[in-house]
């Protein structure tokens, strides 16, 4: 009799396992289809796919959520894997059940977040708060369901999908948290309670800085009851040079970035920490502008090009800007064709006003526009800082703040940040990509991670075809060469243990900044040269979680961070 019961139980468990596996496999395919359909704006097809996803997730949860399955999770060898399948199914079900709500939100966004005259429709924004809040809560529930899942401990066929799901869930959680906070802050920050003035800074990626590029074109955006207007326009140099620092600098900041960090608006983003940058920018701006700014917004031309992909081409400054030519026309051609700084500044003022008018009046794909801006936040290209402490406290929790990425619990953070030392627009021709790998843990539980950066100069020959604005005058580097400083941030309490440049050991300067070791590596690229930098870091004890590497956004529209699977344990 007992043997019969065991056989029946095993048969039922096998059936449940097959149904769960088939449902999860089907759900994975539906999720991929759903991402593609939403990205392509095919919301009608997406609704059907969302229903299939929800059905599959429900089947997977039901068949892995009973006493028999729970008992099987206690068995040796396969118990952890079965527990992970159950938790993943529960998390997926919690999330998939809210997918129709998410699509309804996209419909609302597609209907427009602006009034007919181009103002931000604060009524629509207010109406989105509750449904977004419910979605954010569902994501939090799903994350709680999978909190105990450790992909590295699972069998290989399960480890990959589990890791991908957990990573995607973390990404969605960050996005939903940002959206939830944005909808709570936007009515006030958009002037719902009175006038707001923001310093809008366009970072010039052709002259690279840690947060993206040299602060170039500047404008004052005035917002009242959602209505946006463009005020004082100029360039970062017009704010002048303060004799005294506008804020105290730490000894480490002075050593790493110099005192101009707090005296010249153009140097405020030598640090990769945008909240620090923006607070310094606002103090410098307040000395010149008629009234203090309420915050700082930063964007770059690479993002503006993608905005044009969503809203369509615009006519500005006597030419058509498109998604395909905007980067060239904003970051290179002005320095090749316009004779002096005054002509360049006049051009950028026209572009700024034309782009703002186009965005506010555009009838393009609003869903695509929101997707572009969301991706710009993830790439640290669209950044926001508020001078109101309560608002900044909320912003600081999310990527839109642009804060220097820091360790989270057992998960170490590494950062690679570039600053130009050529005093020219030569980084228009710079390309780079980065990788991260975990090499395992020491006996003391210190994780060893290796970051690799590949840099390439695409400066054309002969260099004489480029103007002095692009190459510089040869004061800091031979014309056509690209001189930069690479600052590498180790995890908090960790350290750099090895560094090579093209396979050879490199000499560096090291400074401890806010508990993190920072290593400074001079970089010089000749036209056409490629360089590989490899840095090995050892974390403090106990940091055996997933490591993350972040870096400066460049000319290419691409991710600016990567995670690696921990090889500890």
């Amino acid at each position: 009799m007992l043997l019969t019961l065991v056989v029946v139980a095993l048969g039922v468990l096998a059936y449940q396992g097959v149904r769960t596996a088939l449902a999860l496999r089907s759900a994975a395919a539906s999720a991929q289809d759903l991402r593609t359909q939403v990205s392509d704006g095919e919301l009608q097809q997406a609704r059907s796919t969302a229903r299939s996803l929800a059905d599959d997730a429900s089947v997977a949860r039901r068949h892995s959520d009973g006493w028999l399955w729970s008992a099987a999770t206690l068995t040796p060898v396969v118990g952890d894997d079965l527990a992970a399948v159950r938790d993943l199914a529960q998390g997926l079900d919690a999330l998939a059940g809210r997918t129709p709500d998410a699509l309804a939100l996209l419909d609302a966004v597609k209907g427009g977040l602006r009034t007919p005259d181009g103002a931000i429709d604060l009524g629509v924004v207010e109406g989105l708060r509750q449904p977004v809040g419910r979605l954010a809560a569902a994501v939090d529930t799903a994350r709680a369901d999978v909190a105990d899942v450790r992909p590295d401990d699972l069998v290989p066929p399960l480890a990959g999908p589990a890791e991908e799901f957990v990573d995607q869930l973390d990404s969605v959680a960050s996005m939903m948290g940002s959206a939830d906070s944005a909808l709570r802050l936007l009515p006030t920050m958009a002037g719902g309670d009175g006038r707001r003035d923001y310093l809008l800074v366009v970072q010039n990626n052709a002259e690279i800085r840690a947060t993206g590029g040299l602060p170039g074109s500047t404008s004052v955006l005035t917002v009242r009851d959602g209505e946006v207007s463009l005020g004082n326009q100029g360039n970062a140099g017009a704010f002048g040079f303060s004799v005294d620092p506008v804020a105290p600098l730490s000894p480490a900041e002075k050593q790493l970035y110099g005192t101009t960090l707090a005296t010249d608006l153009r140097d405020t983003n030598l640090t990769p920490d945008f909240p620090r940058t923006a607070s310094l920018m606002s103090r410098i701006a307040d000395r010149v502008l008629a009234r203090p700014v309420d915050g700082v917004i930063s964007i770059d031309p690479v993002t503006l090009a993608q905005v044009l992909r969503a809203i369509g081409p615009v006519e500005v400054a006597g030419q058509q800007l498109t998604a395909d030519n905007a980067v060239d026309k904003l970051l290179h051609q002005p320095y090749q064709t316009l004779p002096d700084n005054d002509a360049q500044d006049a051009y950028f003022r026209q572009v700024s006003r034309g782009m703002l008018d186009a965005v506010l009046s555009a009838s393009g794909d609003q869903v695509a526009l929101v997707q572009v801006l969301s991706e710009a936040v993830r790439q640290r290209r669209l950044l926001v800082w508020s001078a109101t402490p309560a608002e900044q406290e909320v912003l600081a929790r999310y990527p839109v703040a642009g804060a220097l990425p820091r360790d989270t619990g057992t998960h170490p953070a590494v950062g690679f940040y570039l600053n130009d030392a050529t005093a020219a627009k030569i980084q228009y021709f710079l390309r780079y990509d980065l990788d991260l790998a975990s090499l395992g843990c020491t006996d003391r539980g210190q994780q060893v991670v290796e970051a690799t950066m590949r840099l390439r100069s695409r400066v054309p020959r002969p260099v004489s075809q480029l103007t002095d604005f692009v190459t510089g005058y040869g004061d800091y580097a031979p014309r056509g060469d690209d001189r930069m400083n690479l600052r590498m941030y180790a995890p908090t309490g960790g350290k750099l243990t090895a560094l090579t440049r093209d396979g050879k050991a490199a000499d560096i300067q090291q400074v401890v900044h806010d508990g993190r070791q920072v290593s400074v590596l001079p970089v010089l690229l000749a036209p056409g040269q490629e360089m590989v930098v490899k840095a090995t870091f050892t974390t403090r004890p106990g940091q055996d979680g997933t490591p993350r590497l972040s870096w400066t956004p460049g000319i290419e529209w691409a991710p600016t961070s990567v995670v690696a699977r921990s090889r500890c344990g």
Side-chain angles (χ1 to χ4, degrees):
M1 181 65 177
L2 179 60
L3 179 60
T4 301
L5 290 175
V6 170
V7 171
V8 171
L10 289 175
V12 172
L13 184 61
Y15 170 77
Q16 290 178 332
V18 170
R19 289 298 307 272
T20 300
L22 290 175
L24 288 175
R25 183 178 299 173
S26 178
S30 294
Q32 180 60 49
D33 290 342
L34 185 62
R35 281 194 293 268
T36 301
Q37 290 161 354
V38 169
S39 178
D40 293 343
E42 300 171 350
L43 297 188
Q44 190 61 40
Q45 295 93 319
R47 291 188 187 90
S48 175
T49 303
R51 288 191 291 270
S52 297
L53 174 61
D55 290 344
D56 289 332
S58 179
V59 169
R61 182 194 58 78
R62 288 200 313 271
H63 284 283
S64 60
D65 187 26
W67 67 267
L68 187 58
W69 194 285
S70 295
T73 64
L74 303 177
T75 60
V77 183
V78 298
D80 289 344
D81 299 300
L82 292 175
V85 169
R86 177 197 60 201
D87 294 345
L88 291 169
Q90 289 177 345
L92 180 62
D93 187 48
L95 199 58
R98 287 294 182 183
T99 305
D101 294 337
L103 294 176
L105 282 174
L106 288 178
D107 265 337
V109 172
K110 194 171 185 178
L113 296 176
R114 300 194 306 269
T115 62
D117 60 358
I120 300 170
D121 194 327
L122 298 183
V124 172
V125 170
E126 185 66 31
L128 293 175
R129 285 182 59 182
Q130 286 191 352
V132 167
R134 289 194 296 268
L135 280 172
V139 173
D140 288 341
T141 298
R143 292 184 80 194
D145 287 334
V146 302
D148 294 331
V149 175
R150 295 184 62 86
D152 291 342
D153 295 337
L154 305 178
V155 293
L158 184 58
E163 183 177 41
E164 181 180 0
F165 179 74
V166 172
D167 288 345
Q168 290 287 338
L169 195 55
D170 287 342
S171 177
V172 171
S174 176
M175 180 176 64
M176 291 308 305
S178 297
D180 188 31
S181 296
L183 291 173
R184 286 190 286 116
L185 293 177
L186 190 57
T188 301
M189 294 187 71
D193 293 340
R195 171 178 170 173
R196 289 290 186 100
D197 289 326
Y198 297 98
L199 180 66
L200 174 64
V201 179
V202 180
Q203 296 195 46
N204 190 322
N205 312 90
E207 188 169 345
I208 205 162
R209 287 287 191 275
T211 62
L214 177 79
S217 175
T218 62
S219 306
V220 175
L221 286 181
T222 297
V223 192
R224 185 185 286 109
D225 291 327
E227 185 175 344
V228 183
S229 61
L230 193 63
N232 181 60
Q233 290 183 268
N235 64 72
F239 288 94
F241 185 87
S242 175
V243 176
D244 299 316
V246 295
L249 297 178
S250 70
E253 285 179 318
K254 292 178 183 177
Q255 191 172 353
L256 282 169
Y257 306 113
T259 57
T260 58
L261 182 71
T263 60
D264 189 335
L265 194 142
R266 292 167 296 185
D267 285 347
T268 53
N269 65 338
L270 290 172
T271 170
D273 188 44
F274 185 73
R276 178 61 162 162
T277 289
S279 67
L280 294 171
M281 283 181 171
S282 71
R283 293 188 183 204
I284 293 173
D286 289 348
R287 291 188 170 192
V288 176
L289 299 176
R291 56 179 287 158
V293 296
D294 297 294
V296 178
I297 301 172
S298 175
I299 198 167
D300 66 9
V302 179
T303 298
L304 295 178
Q306 297 302 314
V307 167
L308 294 175
R309 198 172 299 282
I311 69 174
V314 299
E315 297 288 337
V316 295
Q319 62 183 341
Q320 186 181 68
L321 287 182
T322 70
D324 295 325
N325 70 18
V327 170
D328 181 58
K329 287 185 177 294
L330 296 177
L331 292 178
H332 184 56
Q333 289 304 321
Y335 305 106
Q336 283 288 96
T337 60
L338 299 178
D340 52 41
N341 290 325
D342 289 341
Q344 293 162 10
D345 290 343
Y347 170 74
F348 289 127
R349 283 196 297 271
Q350 293 181 62
V351 169
S352 295
R353 186 169 294 278
M355 282 294 299
L356 181 64
D357 290 344
V359 170
L360 294 179
S361 62
S363 57
D365 189 337
Q366 298 302 296
V367 172
L369 178 59
V370 170
Q371 289 174 331
V372 164
L373 297 179
S374 297
E375 179 60 25
V377 169
R378 282 192 289 272
Q379 293 187 24
R380 295 169 63 87
R381 298 180 186 276
L382 174 59
L383 307 171
V384 179
W385 175 83
S386 173
T388 302
E391 294 173 353
Q392 180 57 27
E393 183 179 354
V394 176
L395 291 172
R397 303 171 194 162
Y398 302 105
V400 72
L404 175 65
R406 298 183 181 276
D407 306 342
T408 54
T410 62
H411 304 285
V414 176
F416 274 36
Y417 304 104
L418 288 165
N419 280 304
D420 170 69
T422 315
K425 304 300 184 288
I426 198 69
Q427 280 92 40
Y428 176 78
F429 299 105
L430 175 67
R431 302 293 183 271
Y432 51 88
D433 58 83
L434 295 92
D435 289 324
L436 182 68
S438 170
L439 304 183
C441 270
T442 68
D443 293 339
R444 297 183 58 205
Q446 297 169 283
Q447 188 171 179
V448 180
V449 297
E450 182 182 74
T452 302
M453 184 177 201
R454 289 169 290 272
L455 303 105
R456 301 174 296 279
S457 168
R458 293 186 176 177
V459 172
R461 293 184 182 276
V463 173
S464 58
Q465 66 186 288
L466 303 175
T467 67
D468 292 338
F469 289 115
V470 177
T471 65
Y473 294 93
D475 297 333
Y476 303 101
R479 294 185 78 254
D481 284 11
D482 187 345
R483 184 181 294 279
M484 297 169 287
N485 287 311
L486 171 62
R487 290 174 173 85
M488 297 165 285
Y489 277 70
T492 302
K495 61 182 180 180
L496 179 75
T497 51
L499 178 68
T500 63
R501 179 170 44 199
D502 290 335
K504 298 179 181 179
D507 294 328
I508 53 172
Q509 171 196 9
Q510 291 185 328
V511 179
V512 176
H513 181 210
D514 286 346
R516 299 179 71 175
Q517 183 194 70
V518 184
S519 304
V520 185
L521 177 68
V523 173
L524 181 64
L525 292 174
Q529 182 181 351
E530 297 187 4
M531 179 183 294
V532 178
V533 176
K534 283 186 178 290
T536 304
F537 300 89
T538 301
T539 73
R540 67 180 185 271
Q543 286 205 300
D544 58 354
T546 302
R548 176 179 293 273
L549 170 64
S550 303
W551 59 87
T552 298
I555 288 288
E556 296 180 301
W557 180 255
T560 57
S561 67
V562 66
V563 296
R565 180 184 295 184
S566 172
R567 297 298 179 185
C568 298

